[in-house]
Every structure is written in structure tokens, then in C-alpha cells.
Amino acid sequence: MTELSSQAQAVLDAANGAQSYGPGDCLNESRWIAAAAIEALADQVVSPVPPPCEDFDEYAQGFLAAHVKYRSKLLAIAAELEAQ
């Protein structure tokens, strides 16, 4: 089993602390539940469709870049948890 990133490990630790099964229990589904929660978070907070930018000035370009960057970071953590 590969080692998780510190971000994914923190999410998994929090999920394991919030359910009744132990981390090694075969019934422990906390990583998939956490991954689903992060995917929902990404969809709700950083939607797949970036906001419209009528005049694509420097601020709008930075906002769009941050939008893409943070959405991809959230989804990468979810994918890492699902693959573990």
C-alpha cells in the first residue's frame, strides 16, 4: 500500500475518528466516504464550470487560474483516497 499525502492522510484520519470501525477493519469505508465528501465539496464550492468573465482582465485570469488549481487539488485528494 502506498503512503498517502499529508492532505489525504489528514482527511482519512478525521474520517476514521468519526466512525465506529477501526482503520484496519474490513467494513471500514471511511476513505470512500471521505472521497465522496471531497468530490461533493469540489462541486459545491469550486464548481466544474468556472464563473463567466466578461472582460478577461488580470484579476479574472488569476481568479480562473485559482479556480482550476484548487478544484484539481481537491479532486486529486479524493482520487488518492479512492485508490488507496
Side-chain angles (χ1 to χ4, degrees), residues 13-76:
D13 290 347
N16 280 329
Q19 50 85 40
S20 60
Y21 298 111
D25 196 311
C26 66
L27 297 175
N28 186 349
E29 297 176 345
S30 59
R31 65 179 164 200
W32 293 290
I33 294 167
I38 291 173
E39 290 170 354
L41 170 77
D43 287 343
Q44 294 295 314
V45 176
V46 190
S47 73
V49 179
C53 297
E54 279 71 35
D55 62 338
F56 214 64
D57 60 6
E58 189 174 324
Y59 172 79
Q61 289 177 11
F63 182 81
L64 184 59
H67 181 92
V68 170
K69 175 183 174 183
Y70 293 117
R71 179 173 172 76
S72 65
K73 282 187 174 195
L74 286 169
L75 294 177

